Amino acid sequence: MPRRATPTVSTVVAATTEPPTAPTTTSSPPTSGAAAPPPAEAADAVRPGDRVLVDEGFAPIAGARVGLIVNQTSVVDGRHLIDLVAESDAVELAAIFAPEHGVRGTADAGEAVDDDTDTATGVPIHSLYGDTKAPTAAMLADLDVLVYDLQDLGARYYTYASTMGLAMQAAAATDTRFVLLDRPVPAGGDVVTGPVRAADQESFVGRYPIPSQYGLTAGELARAIVGEGWLSGLEGLDLEVVEVEGWGRSRPWPDTGLAWIPPSPGLPELANALSYPATVVVEATNLSYGRGTFDAFTLVGAPWVDPATVTERLNARSLTGVRFEPVEFVPRDLEIAIDPPYEGEVVRGVKVVVTDPATFDGSATGVHLLEVFADEARTRGRPPIVDRPEMLDLLTGTSSVRQQLDARMPADEIVAGWRSDLLEFAEVRRRYLIYSEG
């Protein structure tokens, strides 16, 4: 019998001040809040809502006192929307609101964001990720319009969607207009997968009864939240969506010509964002998802894992749009990741490489990862990998996935169980679509 080839194990070494050089697979840290703009002809092909607003001279909000819900992704032609609004004679910048990770996107996941003052404009910055997660009536008292401009992922667990809904409620309660500057979804707008959130799992990482990946832009989701009554008190909301121009919903980010600007520290590159829907469930385990490297959410492992074994098992499943590579990495204490799991230790596992965002099923892949790594732990006499079961339930939106994994139900059967709920959600989703295919 011919001898089976052993896969090559790549090594990832976390950078501290300088990015590593080849042949490691660690990506370089982001150099600033904004990535370099793409070529003009590419940028003109797809125009996100913030660019449309600026190109129209702020006509949809002309004469208004404006509050901005923004972060480091809120950039048009290399300039922050805060600065563009502040300089405009058409509107008055009156307040800034900071979501998770802050206005400049430097706060770690889960880290509280403080109130502040914008040094360039002197305008107050109100935190929406601390003791207060929604604008108060006092914060909105002097505003005519609240403008939302955040890059989302189309994934239920990413907290910007919760921030958006709570801000919509606050705007409705104070008769403040809510203008949403829409953006493409990184994986494309047709990826709908994962369990629909159960009623008993509502949280800030699962505000709405939607699947893990819901196939809607922020603007479409906002329309659905109002239309389906997923939050109370929105009947009188004055909602306007400034639509993306030149984008067809089946086009993933690489086909838009737009530069990628990290929406949070753990997603410095597009690759991190594309694999995030699969690997975010690792946050509920004693495994590492690469926190403490610049490849967070593309890596899964622990010091006791055999990379060749788990890689072979995962690739044998022929999951669409993804391949797995054996890897070793060393988490480090970084400014964007304090005290990461297994800091300074060699962690062994797999790298998740998304080869086709449009066909990649992140939610299904996450269940396969949990199943394979749980089997690896049992084989090696390790404790169960899920050490925060309540967190896993919140992330998956249901307790059934955890219970099915505990019962050793195969991942394919778990995923098949989502089908009926997804078909029912598809009927709801269809009512709120703005963008056509292409």
Side-chain angles (χ1 to χ4, degrees), residues 122-147:
V123 172
I125 299 175
H126 303 295
S127 170
L128 298 182
Y129 197 77
D131 293 336
T132 300
K133 288 187 168 60
T136 65
M139 294 175 188
L140 300 180
D142 296 327
L143 302 184
D144 302 309
V145 60
L146 194 54
V147 175

Side-chain angles (χ1 to χ4, degrees), residues 14 66 102 113 130 144 157 171 188 196 235 258 268 285 375-376 404 410 420 425 437:
V66 176
V113 175
D144 302 309
Y157 4 74
V196 173
E235 297 80 8
L258 298 171
T285 74
D375 286 349
E376 176 78 354
Q404 290 162 340
S420 61
F425 174 76
E437 301 294 335

Side-chain angles (χ1 to χ4, degrees), residues 30-166:
T31 55
S32 64
E41 63 273 13
D44 287 341
V46 175
R47 296 200 304 158
D50 53 7
R51 183 180 176 114
V52 172
L53 182 72
V54 171
D55 287 350
E56 293 181 354
F58 301 99
I61 55 174
R65 287 176 54 82
V66 176
L68 297 177
I69 304 175
V70 289
N71 66 5
Q72 73 286 350
T73 65
S74 310
V75 173
V76 178
D77 289 338
R79 301 202 62 203
H80 202 286
L81 190 62
I82 290 174
D83 301 321
L84 294 169
V85 171
E87 293 174 5
S88 174
D89 293 330
V91 291
E92 180 182 350
L93 178 62
I96 301 167
F97 297 86
E100 184 179 10
H101 308 295
V103 170
R104 303 300 175 186
T106 55
D108 199 2
E111 180 183 342
V113 175
D114 295 328
D115 290 341
D116 205 348
T117 300
D118 182 57
T119 55
T121 63
V123 172
I125 299 175
H126 303 295
S127 170
L128 298 182
Y129 197 77
D131 293 336
T132 300
K133 288 187 168 60
T136 65
M139 294 175 188
L140 300 180
D142 296 327
L143 302 184
D144 302 309
V145 60
L146 194 54
V147 175
Y148 177 93
D149 183 33
L150 300 176
Q151 179 61 55
D152 216 324
L153 299 185
R156 185 187 60 226
Y157 4 74
Y158 210 57
T159 63
Y160 295 162
S162 289
T163 296
M164 179 184 75
L166 296 178

